[in-house]
Amino acid sequence: MDILGTTLRICVDDLEASVAFYEGITGTRALRFERGGVSVAAIGCFLLMSGPETELEMLRKVAATIAVKDVEAAREALTRAGAHIVAGPVPTPAGRNLIALHPDGSVFEYADRNTVV
């Protein structure tokens, strides 16, 4: 599995104020999208999420998003190593992702930029 980087996941109450802060410290503009009733802003290595508490409760359990070259290769490597695939792989606005439960109880999202044709 080729790990390309990580994204820190942050649940916020005031998305607009948080976007302004993170755009200011990174010098980059937010890429925004909606997913499952949650407003998302990706800014550099930060992924800001805001929405209904019922949706955020699940999102808070995911420690980080790990960018990989190929989600399917990640699934195979994770499964061989003893991780449990909780969800996915599924298409996303930017590619594909899966959620994995590591043997130590940590939960991570793995995402690639490969779009499903």
Side-chain angles (χ1 to χ4, degrees):
M1 163 176 41
D2 293 324
I3 295 176
L4 307 175
T6 59
T7 301
L8 305 171
R9 300 163 61 93
I10 306 167
C11 295
V12 299
D13 292 327
D14 185 341
L15 186 62
E16 295 312 312
S18 295
V19 164
F21 173 78
Y22 286 96
E23 283 181 338
I25 65 170
T26 64
T28 60
R29 303 279 299 157
L31 170 64
R32 296 171 182 253
F33 57 94
E34 297 273 328
R35 182 131 192 234
V38 174
S39 297
V40 181
I43 309 165
C45 67
F46 301 100
L47 188 65
L48 309 179
M49 300 171 287
S50 185
E53 186 56 38
T54 53
E55 297 294 326
L56 295 178
E57 182 180 350
M58 177 58 84
L59 295 173
R60 283 189 177 99
K61 294 178 182 177
V62 179
T65 298
I66 300 170
V68 295
K69 187 173 181 178
D70 184 287
V71 161
E72 188 57 37
R75 184 195 62 74
E76 292 169 7
L78 288 161
T79 301
R80 273 194 314 272
H84 172 69
I85 306 305
V86 177
V90 297
T92 72
R96 301 173 298 172
N97 78 342
L98 64 79
I99 305 294
L101 173 64
H102 291 193
D104 64 5
S106 300
V107 178
F108 291 92
E109 174 186 35
Y110 290 81
D112 67 22
R113 298 259 180 200
N114 298 326
T115 55
V116 178
V117 180

Short mmCIF file of all heavy atoms in Angstrom, two decimals, residues 12-81:
data_model
loop_
_atom_site.label_atom_id
_atom_site.label_comp_id
_atom_site.label_asym_id
_atom_site.label_seq_id
_atom_site.Cartn_x
_atom_site.Cartn_y
_atom_site.Cartn_z
N VAL A 12 -16.28 21.01 13.63
CA VAL A 12 -16.38 22.39 14.12
C VAL A 12 -17.84 22.82 14.19
O VAL A 12 -18.68 22.32 13.46
CB VAL A 12 -15.59 23.37 13.23
CG1 VAL A 12 -14.11 23.01 13.21
CG2 VAL A 12 -16.13 23.42 11.82
N ASP A 13 -18.12 23.76 15.09
CA ASP A 13 -19.47 24.31 15.21
C ASP A 13 -19.71 25.39 14.16
O ASP A 13 -20.76 25.44 13.55
CB ASP A 13 -19.69 24.90 16.60
CG ASP A 13 -19.72 23.83 17.68
OD1 ASP A 13 -20.18 22.70 17.41
OD2 ASP A 13 -19.27 24.12 18.81
N ASP A 14 -18.74 26.28 13.97
CA ASP A 14 -18.88 27.40 13.05
C ASP A 14 -17.93 27.19 11.88
O ASP A 14 -16.75 27.56 11.94
CB ASP A 14 -18.57 28.70 13.79
CG ASP A 14 -18.82 29.94 12.94
OD1 ASP A 14 -18.88 29.82 11.69
OD2 ASP A 14 -18.92 31.03 13.52
N LEU A 15 -18.45 26.61 10.81
CA LEU A 15 -17.61 26.27 9.66
C LEU A 15 -17.00 27.53 9.03
O LEU A 15 -15.81 27.54 8.69
CB LEU A 15 -18.40 25.48 8.62
CG LEU A 15 -17.59 24.94 7.45
CD1 LEU A 15 -16.52 23.96 7.92
CD2 LEU A 15 -18.49 24.29 6.43
N GLU A 16 -17.77 28.59 8.89
CA GLU A 16 -17.26 29.79 8.22
C GLU A 16 -16.09 30.40 8.99
O GLU A 16 -15.08 30.78 8.39
CB GLU A 16 -18.38 30.81 8.01
CG GLU A 16 -19.46 30.33 7.05
CD GLU A 16 -18.91 29.76 5.76
OE1 GLU A 16 -18.04 30.39 5.13
OE2 GLU A 16 -19.35 28.66 5.35
N ALA A 17 -16.21 30.51 10.29
CA ALA A 17 -15.12 31.06 11.10
C ALA A 17 -13.89 30.16 11.04
O ALA A 17 -12.76 30.63 10.92
CB ALA A 17 -15.56 31.25 12.55
N SER A 18 -14.11 28.86 11.07
CA SER A 18 -13.00 27.91 11.02
C SER A 18 -12.33 27.95 9.65
O SER A 18 -11.10 27.89 9.56
CB SER A 18 -13.49 26.50 11.34
OG SER A 18 -13.95 26.45 12.67
N VAL A 19 -13.12 28.04 8.57
CA VAL A 19 -12.54 28.12 7.24
C VAL A 19 -11.64 29.35 7.13
O VAL A 19 -10.51 29.26 6.63
CB VAL A 19 -13.64 28.13 6.14
CG1 VAL A 19 -13.09 28.60 4.80
CG2 VAL A 19 -14.26 26.75 6.00
N ALA A 20 -12.10 30.48 7.63
CA ALA A 20 -11.30 31.70 7.56
C ALA A 20 -9.97 31.52 8.29
O ALA A 20 -8.90 31.91 7.79
CB ALA A 20 -12.07 32.88 8.15
N PHE A 21 -10.00 30.89 9.46
CA PHE A 21 -8.78 30.67 10.24
C PHE A 21 -7.81 29.76 9.48
O PHE A 21 -6.64 30.09 9.31
CB PHE A 21 -9.10 30.06 11.60
CG PHE A 21 -7.88 29.66 12.36
CD1 PHE A 21 -7.10 30.60 13.02
CD2 PHE A 21 -7.48 28.32 12.41
CE1 PHE A 21 -5.95 30.22 13.71
CE2 PHE A 21 -6.34 27.94 13.09
CZ PHE A 21 -5.58 28.90 13.75
N TYR A 22 -8.31 28.60 9.02
CA TYR A 22 -7.43 27.62 8.36
C TYR A 22 -6.94 28.10 6.99
O TYR A 22 -5.83 27.80 6.60
CB TYR A 22 -8.09 26.25 8.29
CG TYR A 22 -8.11 25.58 9.64
CD1 TYR A 22 -9.21 25.66 10.48
CD2 TYR A 22 -6.99 24.90 10.12
CE1 TYR A 22 -9.22 25.08 11.73
CE2 TYR A 22 -6.98 24.30 11.37
CZ TYR A 22 -8.10 24.40 12.16
OH TYR A 22 -8.09 23.82 13.41
N GLU A 23 -7.76 28.86 6.28
CA GLU A 23 -7.27 29.47 5.04
C GLU A 23 -6.15 30.45 5.36
O GLU A 23 -5.15 30.53 4.63
CB GLU A 23 -8.40 30.19 4.30
CG GLU A 23 -9.33 29.26 3.57
CD GLU A 23 -10.44 29.98 2.81
OE1 GLU A 23 -10.76 31.15 3.15
OE2 GLU A 23 -11.00 29.37 1.88
N GLY A 24 -6.30 31.17 6.47
CA GLY A 24 -5.28 32.14 6.87
C GLY A 24 -3.96 31.50 7.24
O GLY A 24 -2.90 31.99 6.85
N ILE A 25 -4.00 30.37 7.93
CA ILE A 25 -2.73 29.76 8.35
C ILE A 25 -2.09 28.92 7.26
O ILE A 25 -0.88 28.71 7.27
CB ILE A 25 -2.85 28.95 9.66
CG1 ILE A 25 -3.75 27.73 9.49
CG2 ILE A 25 -3.32 29.84 10.81
CD1 ILE A 25 -3.71 26.77 10.66
N THR A 26 -2.89 28.42 6.31
CA THR A 26 -2.32 27.59 5.25
C THR A 26 -2.03 28.38 3.98
O THR A 26 -1.25 27.93 3.14
CB THR A 26 -3.25 26.42 4.87
OG1 THR A 26 -4.46 26.95 4.33
CG2 THR A 26 -3.52 25.52 6.06
N GLY A 27 -2.69 29.51 3.80
CA GLY A 27 -2.53 30.29 2.58
C GLY A 27 -3.20 29.65 1.38
O GLY A 27 -2.87 29.97 0.24
N THR A 28 -4.13 28.73 1.62
CA THR A 28 -4.85 28.08 0.52
C THR A 28 -6.35 28.25 0.70
O THR A 28 -6.85 28.48 1.81
CB THR A 28 -4.53 26.57 0.44
OG1 THR A 28 -4.92 25.95 1.68
CG2 THR A 28 -3.06 26.32 0.20
N ARG A 29 -7.08 28.14 -0.39
CA ARG A 29 -8.54 28.26 -0.38
C ARG A 29 -9.18 26.91 -0.08
O ARG A 29 -8.64 25.87 -0.45
CB ARG A 29 -9.04 28.76 -1.74
CG ARG A 29 -8.44 30.07 -2.20
CD ARG A 29 -9.08 31.29 -1.60
NE ARG A 29 -10.47 31.34 -1.98
CZ ARG A 29 -11.39 32.00 -1.28
NH1 ARG A 29 -11.06 32.67 -0.22
NH2 ARG A 29 -12.64 32.01 -1.66
N ALA A 30 -10.32 26.95 0.54
CA ALA A 30 -11.05 25.74 0.90
C ALA A 30 -11.73 25.12 -0.32
O ALA A 30 -12.29 25.84 -1.15
CB ALA A 30 -12.11 26.04 1.95
N LEU A 31 -11.66 23.81 -0.41
CA LEU A 31 -12.45 23.05 -1.37
C LEU A 31 -13.66 22.56 -0.58
O LEU A 31 -13.50 21.84 0.41
CB LEU A 31 -11.65 21.86 -1.91
CG LEU A 31 -12.42 20.84 -2.73
CD1 LEU A 31 -12.97 21.47 -4.00
CD2 LEU A 31 -11.56 19.64 -3.05
N ARG A 32 -14.85 22.96 -0.99
CA ARG A 32 -16.05 22.65 -0.20
C ARG A 32 -16.94 21.64 -0.91
O ARG A 32 -17.05 21.64 -2.13
CB ARG A 32 -16.85 23.93 0.03
CG ARG A 32 -16.13 24.96 0.87
CD ARG A 32 -16.92 26.26 0.85
NE ARG A 32 -16.28 27.29 1.60
CZ ARG A 32 -16.69 27.73 2.79
NH1 ARG A 32 -17.76 27.22 3.34
NH2 ARG A 32 -16.04 28.69 3.40
N PHE A 33 -17.59 20.80 -0.08
CA PHE A 33 -18.60 19.89 -0.60
C PHE A 33 -19.49 19.45 0.55
O PHE A 33 -19.21 19.72 1.71
CB PHE A 33 -17.97 18.69 -1.33
CG PHE A 33 -17.02 17.87 -0.50
CD1 PHE A 33 -17.45 16.74 0.18
CD2 PHE A 33 -15.68 18.22 -0.43
CE1 PHE A 33 -16.56 15.98 0.92
CE2 PHE A 33 -14.78 17.46 0.31
CZ PHE A 33 -15.23 16.34 0.99
N GLU A 34 -20.60 18.82 0.21
CA GLU A 34 -21.55 18.29 1.19
C GLU A 34 -21.55 16.78 1.08
O GLU A 34 -21.44 16.23 -0.02
CB GLU A 34 -22.97 18.80 0.91
CG GLU A 34 -23.14 20.29 1.01
CD GLU A 34 -23.47 20.75 2.42
OE1 GLU A 34 -24.12 19.99 3.16
OE2 GLU A 34 -23.06 21.86 2.77
N ARG A 35 -21.68 16.12 2.22
CA ARG A 35 -21.77 14.66 2.19
C ARG A 35 -22.61 14.19 3.36
O ARG A 35 -22.27 14.44 4.52
CB ARG A 35 -20.38 14.04 2.28
CG ARG A 35 -20.43 12.53 2.19
CD ARG A 35 -19.44 12.06 1.17
NE ARG A 35 -19.68 10.66 0.90
CZ ARG A 35 -18.77 9.73 0.99
NH1 ARG A 35 -17.54 10.04 1.32
NH2 ARG A 35 -19.07 8.49 0.71
N GLY A 36 -23.73 13.55 3.09
CA GLY A 36 -24.59 13.00 4.13
C GLY A 36 -25.07 14.03 5.13
O GLY A 36 -25.13 13.76 6.32
N GLY A 37 -25.40 15.24 4.68
CA GLY A 37 -25.89 16.28 5.57
C GLY A 37 -24.79 17.04 6.30
O GLY A 37 -25.08 17.88 7.14
N VAL A 38 -23.55 16.74 5.99
CA VAL A 38 -22.42 17.40 6.64
C VAL A 38 -21.73 18.30 5.62
O VAL A 38 -21.44 17.89 4.51
CB VAL A 38 -21.41 16.36 7.19
CG1 VAL A 38 -20.16 17.03 7.74
CG2 VAL A 38 -22.07 15.49 8.26
N SER A 39 -21.49 19.55 6.03
CA SER A 39 -20.73 20.48 5.20
C SER A 39 -19.25 20.25 5.47
O SER A 39 -18.83 20.17 6.63
CB SER A 39 -21.09 21.93 5.55
OG SER A 39 -22.44 22.17 5.27
N VAL A 40 -18.47 20.14 4.39
CA VAL A 40 -17.05 19.81 4.51
C VAL A 40 -16.23 20.88 3.79
O VAL A 40 -16.61 21.35 2.72
CB VAL A 40 -16.76 18.43 3.89
CG1 VAL A 40 -15.30 18.07 4.02
CG2 VAL A 40 -17.64 17.36 4.53
N ALA A 41 -15.10 21.23 4.40
CA ALA A 41 -14.14 22.14 3.77
C ALA A 41 -12.76 21.52 3.91
O ALA A 41 -12.30 21.27 5.03
CB ALA A 41 -14.18 23.52 4.42
N ALA A 42 -12.12 21.23 2.78
CA ALA A 42 -10.76 20.69 2.77
C ALA A 42 -9.81 21.86 2.52
O ALA A 42 -9.93 22.57 1.52
CB ALA A 42 -10.62 19.64 1.68
N ILE A 43 -8.87 22.04 3.47
CA ILE A 43 -7.92 23.16 3.39
C ILE A 43 -6.55 22.61 3.76
O ILE A 43 -6.28 22.30 4.92
CB ILE A 43 -8.30 24.29 4.36
CG1 ILE A 43 -9.76 24.69 4.18
CG2 ILE A 43 -7.37 25.49 4.16
CD1 ILE A 43 -10.31 25.54 5.30
N GLY A 44 -5.69 22.48 2.77
CA GLY A 44 -4.38 21.90 3.03
C GLY A 44 -4.53 20.51 3.62
O GLY A 44 -5.25 19.68 3.07
N CYS A 45 -3.91 20.26 4.75
CA CYS A 45 -4.01 18.94 5.39
C CYS A 45 -5.16 18.84 6.38
O CYS A 45 -5.29 17.86 7.10
CB CYS A 45 -2.69 18.60 6.08
SG CYS A 45 -2.32 19.64 7.50
N PHE A 46 -6.03 19.85 6.42
CA PHE A 46 -7.15 19.88 7.36
C PHE A 46 -8.47 19.59 6.64
O PHE A 46 -8.71 20.12 5.55
CB PHE A 46 -7.25 21.24 8.05
CG PHE A 46 -6.01 21.62 8.80
CD1 PHE A 46 -5.09 22.48 8.25
CD2 PHE A 46 -5.76 21.09 10.07
CE1 PHE A 46 -3.94 22.84 8.93
CE2 PHE A 46 -4.61 21.43 10.75
CZ PHE A 46 -3.69 22.31 10.19
N LEU A 47 -9.32 18.78 7.25
CA LEU A 47 -10.65 18.50 6.74
C LEU A 47 -11.63 18.94 7.82
O LEU A 47 -11.75 18.29 8.87
CB LEU A 47 -10.80 17.01 6.44
CG LEU A 47 -12.07 16.59 5.73
CD1 LEU A 47 -12.12 17.18 4.33
CD2 LEU A 47 -12.17 15.07 5.67
N LEU A 48 -12.30 20.07 7.60
CA LEU A 48 -13.25 20.62 8.56
C LEU A 48 -14.63 20.10 8.24
O LEU A 48 -15.04 20.08 7.07
CB LEU A 48 -13.24 22.14 8.50
CG LEU A 48 -11.89 22.84 8.59
CD1 LEU A 48 -12.07 24.34 8.48
CD2 LEU A 48 -11.19 22.47 9.88
N MET A 49 -15.37 19.69 9.27
CA MET A 49 -16.70 19.14 9.07
C MET A 49 -17.67 19.78 10.06
O MET A 49 -17.34 19.94 11.23
CB MET A 49 -16.68 17.63 9.27
CG MET A 49 -15.74 16.92 8.31
SD MET A 49 -15.50 15.17 8.68
CE MET A 49 -14.46 15.29 10.13
N SER A 50 -18.86 20.13 9.57
CA SER A 50 -19.87 20.74 10.40
C SER A 50 -21.23 20.23 9.97
O SER A 50 -21.49 20.09 8.77
CB SER A 50 -19.81 22.27 10.27
OG SER A 50 -20.71 22.88 11.15
N GLY A 51 -22.09 19.95 10.94
CA GLY A 51 -23.42 19.46 10.62
C GLY A 51 -24.14 18.94 11.84
O GLY A 51 -23.73 19.22 12.98
N PRO A 52 -25.19 18.16 11.62
CA PRO A 52 -25.98 17.62 12.73
C PRO A 52 -25.12 16.73 13.64
O PRO A 52 -24.29 15.97 13.17
CB PRO A 52 -27.07 16.80 12.05
CG PRO A 52 -27.08 17.23 10.62
CD PRO A 52 -25.71 17.74 10.32
N GLU A 53 -25.35 16.84 14.92
CA GLU A 53 -24.56 16.08 15.89
C GLU A 53 -24.64 14.58 15.64
O GLU A 53 -23.66 13.87 15.83
CB GLU A 53 -25.01 16.40 17.32
CG GLU A 53 -24.15 15.78 18.39
CD GLU A 53 -22.67 16.13 18.27
OE1 GLU A 53 -22.33 17.27 17.94
OE2 GLU A 53 -21.83 15.24 18.52
N THR A 54 -25.78 14.09 15.19
CA THR A 54 -25.91 12.65 14.93
C THR A 54 -24.93 12.20 13.85
O THR A 54 -24.40 11.09 13.91
CB THR A 54 -27.34 12.29 14.51
OG1 THR A 54 -27.74 13.11 13.41
CG2 THR A 54 -28.32 12.47 15.65
N GLU A 55 -24.69 13.05 12.85
CA GLU A 55 -23.73 12.72 11.79
C GLU A 55 -22.30 12.89 12.29
O GLU A 55 -21.42 12.07 11.98
CB GLU A 55 -23.97 13.61 10.56
CG GLU A 55 -25.31 13.42 9.91
CD GLU A 55 -25.48 12.05 9.29
OE1 GLU A 55 -24.49 11.49 8.79
OE2 GLU A 55 -26.61 11.54 9.31
N LEU A 56 -22.04 13.96 13.03
CA LEU A 56 -20.68 14.23 13.51
C LEU A 56 -20.21 13.20 14.53
O LEU A 56 -19.02 12.91 14.61
CB LEU A 56 -20.60 15.63 14.13
CG LEU A 56 -20.82 16.79 13.16
CD1 LEU A 56 -20.75 18.11 13.92
CD2 LEU A 56 -19.81 16.76 12.03
N GLU A 57 -21.14 12.62 15.28
CA GLU A 57 -20.78 11.61 16.28
C GLU A 57 -19.99 10.46 15.64
O GLU A 57 -18.97 10.03 16.16
CB GLU A 57 -22.05 11.08 16.96
CG GLU A 57 -21.80 10.06 18.03
CD GLU A 57 -23.08 9.57 18.66
OE1 GLU A 57 -24.16 10.13 18.41
OE2 GLU A 57 -22.99 8.59 19.42
N MET A 58 -20.44 9.99 14.50
CA MET A 58 -19.74 8.91 13.80
C MET A 58 -18.42 9.40 13.23
O MET A 58 -17.40 8.73 13.30
CB MET A 58 -20.62 8.34 12.69
CG MET A 58 -19.94 7.27 11.88
SD MET A 58 -19.38 5.86 12.86
CE MET A 58 -20.87 4.92 12.91
N LEU A 59 -18.42 10.60 12.66
CA LEU A 59 -17.21 11.14 12.04
C LEU A 59 -16.09 11.35 13.05
O LEU A 59 -14.92 11.23 12.73
CB LEU A 59 -17.52 12.46 11.32
CG LEU A 59 -18.46 12.34 10.12
CD1 LEU A 59 -18.84 13.71 9.60
CD2 LEU A 59 -17.84 11.49 9.03
N ARG A 60 -16.44 11.67 14.29
CA ARG A 60 -15.44 11.88 15.34
C ARG A 60 -14.68 10.61 15.68
O ARG A 60 -13.59 10.66 16.24
CB ARG A 60 -16.10 12.43 16.60
CG ARG A 60 -16.44 13.88 16.52
CD ARG A 60 -16.89 14.43 17.87
NE ARG A 60 -17.13 15.83 17.77
CZ ARG A 60 -18.34 16.38 17.63
NH1 ARG A 60 -19.42 15.61 17.59
NH2 ARG A 60 -18.48 17.69 17.53
N LYS A 61 -15.22 9.47 15.37
CA LYS A 61 -14.56 8.20 15.68
C LYS A 61 -13.41 7.90 14.72
O LYS A 61 -12.57 7.06 15.01
CB LYS A 61 -15.59 7.06 15.64
CG LYS A 61 -16.63 7.19 16.73
CD LYS A 61 -17.66 6.10 16.64
CE LYS A 61 -18.71 6.32 17.73
NZ LYS A 61 -19.77 5.35 17.66
N VAL A 62 -13.36 8.60 13.59
CA VAL A 62 -12.30 8.38 12.60
C VAL A 62 -11.14 9.31 12.94
O VAL A 62 -11.28 10.53 12.92
CB VAL A 62 -12.82 8.64 11.17
CG1 VAL A 62 -11.71 8.44 10.16
CG2 VAL A 62 -14.00 7.71 10.87
N ALA A 63 -9.99 8.73 13.27
CA ALA A 63 -8.84 9.50 13.74
C ALA A 63 -8.26 10.41 12.67
O ALA A 63 -7.87 11.55 12.95
CB ALA A 63 -7.76 8.57 14.27
N ALA A 64 -8.16 9.95 11.44
CA ALA A 64 -7.56 10.72 10.35
C ALA A 64 -7.92 10.09 9.03
O ALA A 64 -8.36 8.94 8.97
CB ALA A 64 -6.04 10.79 10.50
N THR A 65 -7.72 10.85 7.97
CA THR A 65 -7.85 10.33 6.62
C THR A 65 -6.45 10.12 6.06
O THR A 65 -5.62 11.02 6.13
CB THR A 65 -8.64 11.30 5.73
OG1 THR A 65 -9.96 11.45 6.26
CG2 THR A 65 -8.73 10.79 4.30
N ILE A 66 -6.21 8.94 5.54
CA ILE A 66 -4.91 8.59 4.98
C ILE A 66 -5.06 8.50 3.46
O ILE A 66 -5.86 7.71 2.96
CB ILE A 66 -4.40 7.27 5.57
CG1 ILE A 66 -4.28 7.41 7.09
CG2 ILE A 66 -3.08 6.86 4.92
CD1 ILE A 66 -4.01 6.12 7.82
N ALA A 67 -4.32 9.35 2.76
CA ALA A 67 -4.34 9.32 1.29
C ALA A 67 -3.47 8.17 0.81
O ALA A 67 -2.33 8.01 1.25
CB ALA A 67 -3.83 10.64 0.73
N VAL A 68 -4.04 7.37 -0.06
CA VAL A 68 -3.31 6.23 -0.63
C VAL A 68 -3.39 6.29 -2.14
O VAL A 68 -4.26 6.95 -2.71
CB VAL A 68 -3.87 4.88 -0.12
CG1 VAL A 68 -3.65 4.72 1.38
CG2 VAL A 68 -5.35 4.72 -0.45
N LYS A 69 -2.48 5.59 -2.79
CA LYS A 69 -2.48 5.56 -4.25
C LYS A 69 -3.70 4.82 -4.78
O LYS A 69 -4.30 5.23 -5.77
CB LYS A 69 -1.20 4.90 -4.75
CG LYS A 69 -1.02 4.97 -6.23
CD LYS A 69 0.34 4.46 -6.64
CE LYS A 69 0.50 4.57 -8.14
NZ LYS A 69 1.83 4.12 -8.56
N ASP A 70 -4.09 3.72 -4.11
CA ASP A 70 -5.20 2.90 -4.58
C ASP A 70 -5.92 2.28 -3.39
O ASP A 70 -5.31 1.54 -2.61
CB ASP A 70 -4.66 1.81 -5.51
CG ASP A 70 -5.76 0.98 -6.12
OD1 ASP A 70 -6.37 0.16 -5.40
OD2 ASP A 70 -6.02 1.14 -7.33
N VAL A 71 -7.20 2.59 -3.24
CA VAL A 71 -7.98 2.09 -2.11
C VAL A 71 -8.10 0.57 -2.12
O VAL A 71 -8.07 -0.07 -1.08
CB VAL A 71 -9.38 2.76 -2.08
CG1 VAL A 71 -10.37 1.98 -1.25
CG2 VAL A 71 -9.27 4.17 -1.52
N GLU A 72 -8.22 -0.02 -3.29
CA GLU A 72 -8.34 -1.48 -3.36
C GLU A 72 -7.06 -2.14 -2.86
O GLU A 72 -7.11 -3.13 -2.11
CB GLU A 72 -8.66 -1.93 -4.79
CG GLU A 72 -8.99 -3.40 -4.90
CD GLU A 72 -10.16 -3.84 -4.03
OE1 GLU A 72 -11.14 -3.09 -3.87
OE2 GLU A 72 -10.08 -4.97 -3.48
N ALA A 73 -5.91 -1.62 -3.22
CA ALA A 73 -4.64 -2.15 -2.70
C ALA A 73 -4.55 -1.95 -1.20
O ALA A 73 -4.07 -2.82 -0.47
CB ALA A 73 -3.45 -1.48 -3.40
N ALA A 74 -5.05 -0.82 -0.71
CA ALA A 74 -5.08 -0.57 0.74
C ALA A 74 -5.97 -1.58 1.44
O ALA A 74 -5.62 -2.12 2.49
CB ALA A 74 -5.55 0.85 1.02
N ARG A 75 -7.15 -1.85 0.85
CA ARG A 75 -8.07 -2.84 1.44
C ARG A 75 -7.39 -4.19 1.58
O ARG A 75 -7.46 -4.84 2.63
CB ARG A 75 -9.34 -2.97 0.59
CG ARG A 75 -10.37 -3.93 1.23
CD ARG A 75 -11.44 -4.33 0.24
NE ARG A 75 -10.92 -5.06 -0.90
CZ ARG A 75 -10.51 -6.34 -0.88
NH1 ARG A 75 -10.55 -7.04 0.25
NH2 ARG A 75 -10.06 -6.92 -1.97
N GLU A 76 -6.70 -4.62 0.52
CA GLU A 76 -6.02 -5.91 0.56
C GLU A 76 -4.92 -5.94 1.62
O GLU A 76 -4.82 -6.89 2.40
CB GLU A 76 -5.44 -6.22 -0.82
CG GLU A 76 -6.50 -6.48 -1.87
CD GLU A 76 -5.95 -6.53 -3.29
OE1 GLU A 76 -4.72 -6.50 -3.47
OE2 GLU A 76 -6.78 -6.60 -4.22
N ALA A 77 -4.12 -4.88 1.70
CA ALA A 77 -3.03 -4.83 2.69
C ALA A 77 -3.59 -4.76 4.11
O ALA A 77 -3.07 -5.43 5.01
CB ALA A 77 -2.14 -3.62 2.41
N LEU A 78 -4.62 -3.98 4.31
CA LEU A 78 -5.22 -3.86 5.64
C LEU A 78 -5.81 -5.19 6.10
O LEU A 78 -5.64 -5.60 7.25
CB LEU A 78 -6.29 -2.76 5.64
CG LEU A 78 -5.76 -1.34 5.55
CD1 LEU A 78 -6.85 -0.39 5.09
CD2 LEU A 78 -5.17 -0.91 6.89
N THR A 79 -6.52 -5.85 5.21
CA THR A 79 -7.15 -7.14 5.53
C THR A 79 -6.08 -8.18 5.88
O THR A 79 -6.21 -8.89 6.88
CB THR A 79 -8.03 -7.61 4.37
OG1 THR A 79 -9.03 -6.62 4.12
CG2 THR A 79 -8.71 -8.93 4.70
N ARG A 80 -5.02 -8.24 5.07
CA ARG A 80 -3.92 -9.18 5.36
C ARG A 80 -3.29 -8.91 6.73
O ARG A 80 -2.89 -9.83 7.42
CB ARG A 80 -2.83 -9.06 4.29
CG ARG A 80 -3.02 -9.89 3.07
CD ARG A 80 -1.75 -9.99 2.21
NE ARG A 80 -1.08 -8.73 1.99
CZ ARG A 80 -1.35 -7.89 1.00
NH1 ARG A 80 -2.30 -8.17 0.13
NH2 ARG A 80 -0.66 -6.76 0.87
N ALA A 81 -3.22 -7.65 7.11
CA ALA A 81 -2.57 -7.27 8.37
C ALA A 81 -3.50 -7.42 9.57
O ALA A 81 -3.06 -7.24 10.71
CB ALA A 81 -2.06 -5.83 8.28
#
